[in-house]
Amino acid sequence: MEATAYAVGTIEIHMTKNVRLIARLDVKGENLIKGVHLEGLRVIGDPQTHAISYYHQGADELLYVDIVASLYGRSKLSDIVRRTAHEVFVPLTVCGGIRSLEDVSDLLLAGADKVAINTAAVKRPELITEIARRYGSQCMVLSIEAKRQSPDRWEVYTDCGREGTGIDVVDWVKRSVGLGAGEILLTSIDMEGTRKGFDCNLVEAITAEINLPVIASGGYGEPSHLKNVVGVGADAVAIADGYHYKRTTVHEVRQSAMNYGIPVRNVK
Amino acid sequence: MTKKTVIVDYGLGNLHSVRHALEHVGADSVQISSNISDILQADHLILPGVGAFGNGMRELAERSLSDAIINYAKSGKPLLGICLGMQLFASSSEEFGFHTGLNLIPGKVVPIPTITNCGSTQKVPFVGWSGMKRVKDWGDSPLSSTKDHEAVYLVHSYHMMPDDSSAIMAVANYGGHDITVAVCKDNIIGFQFHPEKSGRIGLSILRSFLDI
């Protein structure tokens, strides 16, 4: 792919790398669910059926998040992942309730390519290093649930947006790089499920500080939101309810990206 | 006749993803094994792998598999290395110190430059989909049915620089640098990308490998 220069608002950006379009599937027990601000969960259906459909629509990557696993202990995710891995041949990231190297090993054996960790990493940051050492940084995604405290300050939340930690998001991200995180999954609790756009200030606060890939999650409602968040440096964009409620498809989002001149994988 | 495809199990990488993909494209018989006679008797051999080079060579050595893979390669039957598996075919790597490889495709494994040719920094590891640029005829290789610039999925911080550049089949452009993504020397093929994670394109490449 050739380097593409394009304008987003008044910012001129040089990109040589395709922006990844990720389908995010939040799971509770055996069901695909969706909420607003990570609350008020509604059952959407069978995660497997949706995952396969997004794969065939051309998703670059799938993200499974067991959003209550850290509250209730054991997750059924490895069963869902195992079934999905037989029919989905793009990368699969799994998040939720992962506490140990054994949990990581189970999920990788089941067919996951990367794991994303929030609560357990906040409780015991060395876990990031242990996973990076054993499986490589590319496998270790730090998941952050961020809640805005002021226009330029965000707090790290754990346990599915329920527990404040007092930790500053930017400080935590900077620290995680040294610990071995290879990628950041950044979910805005404020924007999640609202369809009002990503928290671009949050994404920019992170991309300005670190050199790791950042997945922006929470708030997609229309194509201009994609343009705005890529404009502040997001490497990947995770969309959930836009796909689940069939307001859009991966194919349409890809087409919008191409219309804006954003480099994306060309899927026929 | 049933053809046997063996995936080398040396404790690294997502072996089951490769197996699922092979089964999906109709492989006759797929076996995950660290047994030397299974390896030597395979009709197609795949060396997968994710992680650091030195660790990969150590895991092969602990299972006494290096010679088995080298002997299989001498038989002339098709051998495919994926990601770290491909890098292990090189003579040496600079990843976390100096390490010797299997030397099946003479060359070095070197870091992806962290500075673009315009002088800005670029993110490493590279994670994502990149177009494969053809640099030599793909002839009857597993890439033969793939179009130029088709996107494949890559995750890596290092790449292979073969001594003989004619071994390079395809490169990707990262910040103006040519990064090796596919190599071939006689019956030995290496993909830096993950065909098992590259959607429909990747599956068709794996099918073509099985048809060799």
Side-chain angles (χ1 to χ4, degrees):
Chain A
M1 186 192 58
E2 301 306 314
T4 315
Y6 68 99
V8 176
T10 55
I11 320 160
E12 178 92 353
I13 296 178
H14 289 273
M15 300 209 59
T16 58
K17 214 172 137 179
N18 287 328
V19 171
R20 286 172 289 147
L21 304 177
I22 298 177
R24 172 171 173 155
L25 298 102
D26 289 352
V27 169
K28 181 183 177 187
E30 289 165 351
N31 292 314
L32 175 66
I33 53 94
K34 190 68 197 88
V36 177
H37 307 307
L38 300 176
E39 290 178 335
L41 310 177
R42 283 176 58 185
V43 173
I44 306 280
D46 174 35
Q48 165 89 346
T49 316
H50 285 76
I52 292 168
S53 158
Y54 302 151
Y55 165 64
H56 287 293
Q57 287 175 24
D60 292 331
E61 205 167 312
L62 298 185
L63 169 63
Y64 271 132
V65 183
D66 188 331
I67 64 162
V68 294
S70 62
L71 299 173
Y72 298 122
R74 290 236 21 117
S75 164
K76 293 193 169 153
L77 262 183
S78 62
D79 293 336
I80 298 173
V81 169
R82 195 170 291 111
R83 283 188 284 130
T84 305
H86 283 274
E87 294 183 70
V88 166
F89 300 101
V90 291
L92 194 54
T93 301
V94 180
C95 182
I98 299 161
R99 294 181 180 77
S100 65
L101 286 173
E102 287 68 37
D103 293 341
V104 177
S105 168
D106 285 350
L107 287 165
L108 296 183
L109 271 177
D113 297 280
K114 301 185 257 188
V115 292
I117 302 186
N118 173 23
T119 305
V122 170
K123 285 186 182 150
R124 205 170 67 79
E126 312 85 77
L127 182 61
I128 296 174
T129 312
E130 290 165 15
I131 294 170
R133 285 229 179 100
R134 172 90 64 99
Y135 301 102
S137 284
Q138 84 292 330
C139 182
M140 171 59 231
V141 181
L142 180 68
S143 167
I144 296 177
E145 291 163 3
K147 193 162 186 170
R148 198 185 299 125
Q149 305 302 311
S150 71
D152 59 357
R153 196 181 173 279
W154 296 264
E155 183 180 346
V156 173
Y157 270 64
T158 61
D159 297 288
C160 189
R162 282 169 176 77
E163 303 289 332
T165 62
I167 300 170
D168 179 71
V169 168
V170 175
D171 289 345
W172 177 224
V173 167
K174 279 157 69 177
R175 188 173 168 213
S176 76
V177 176
L179 292 168
E183 189 168 359
I184 307 292
L185 166 62
L186 191 57
T187 304
S188 161
I189 298 173
D190 306 288
M191 303 314 291
E192 202 276 331
T194 64
R195 307 175 189 176
K196 289 179 181 163
F198 298 92
D199 187 340
C200 289
N201 292 341
L202 168 66
V203 172
E204 190 166 25
I206 303 302
T207 56
E209 287 290 341
I210 58 155
N211 208 17
L212 295 182
V214 173
I215 305 166
S217 181
Y220 179 85
E222 58 179 57
S224 67
H225 297 153
L226 180 73
K227 178 189 74 169
N228 295 341
V229 78
V230 171
V232 292
D235 298 87
V237 177
I239 299 177
D241 80 20
Y243 298 147
H244 303 340
Y245 293 118
K246 299 193 166 47
R247 289 185 292 110
T248 188
T249 63
V250 184
H251 180 75
E252 274 179 15
V253 172
R254 186 176 304 281
Q255 199 55 52
S256 310
M258 288 161 108
N259 294 345
Y260 284 121
I262 296 170
V264 285
R265 168 168 75 116
N266 192 6
V267 180
K268 276 136 208 149
Chain B
M1 198 186 77
T2 304
K3 279 191 172 178
K4 196 166 82 176
T5 304
V6 172
I7 302 168
V8 180
D9 177 5
Y10 60 118
L12 293 177
N14 204 330
L15 310 171
H16 295 277
S17 297
V18 178
R19 178 166 60 85
H20 292 150
L22 290 166
E23 287 170 354
H24 194 82
V25 298
D28 293 337
S29 149
V30 183
Q31 191 180 13
I32 294 175
S33 176
S34 52
N35 180 294
I36 292 169
S37 68
D38 288 341
I39 288 173
L40 293 172
Q41 283 162 27
D43 296 300
H44 291 87
L45 187 68
I46 299 182
L47 184 64
V50 168
F53 191 101
N55 192 36
M57 287 307 291
R58 190 170 58 243
E59 296 285 344
L60 283 181
E62 276 172 12
R63 294 166 177 78
S64 310
L65 294 178
S66 299
D67 286 345
I69 294 165
I70 291 167
N71 287 331
Y72 173 91
K74 283 181 189 155
S75 74
K77 293 184 283 186
L79 169 62
L80 171 63
I82 298 174
C83 194
L84 175 65
M86 155 181 163
Q87 295 185 1
L88 297 179
F89 292 165
S91 320
S92 67
S93 168
E94 303 172 3
E95 187 177 11
F96 302 121
F98 181 87
H99 303 278
T100 342
L102 297 171
N103 199 30
L104 292 168
I105 299 181
K108 292 192 187 75
V109 176
V110 298
I112 295 170
T114 53
I115 305 289
T116 69
N117 64 356
C118 322
S120 49
T121 56
Q122 63 179 350
K123 298 180 181 183
V124 173
F126 178 94
V127 181
W129 295 77
S130 195
M132 269 198 298
K133 188 174 136 200
R134 187 188 334 218
V135 292
K136 69 181 274 196
D137 184 19
W138 287 346
D140 48 9
S141 82
L143 298 180
S144 57
S145 57
T146 310
K147 293 194 196 79
D148 198 13
H149 294 290
E150 202 88 74
V152 289
Y153 184 75
L154 295 131
V155 183
H156 61 140
S157 304
Y158 288 76
H159 75 118
M160 193 202 278
M161 293 291 279
D163 293 343
D164 176 2
S165 63
S166 73
I168 302 175
M169 285 202 289
V171 296
N173 177 351
Y174 297 175
H177 301 284
D178 278 348
I179 301 299
T180 308
V181 295
V183 292
C184 181
K185 181 174 175 280
D186 306 321
N187 57 319
I188 303 163
I189 300 152
F191 295 149
Q192 182 63 60
F193 62 93
H194 287 273
E196 77 282 12
K197 292 289 171 182
S198 294
R200 193 178 51 77
I201 305 297
L203 292 176
S204 94
I205 293 170
L206 283 176
R207 182 63 249 177
S208 303
F209 172 69
L210 294 175
D211 289 337
I212 295 178

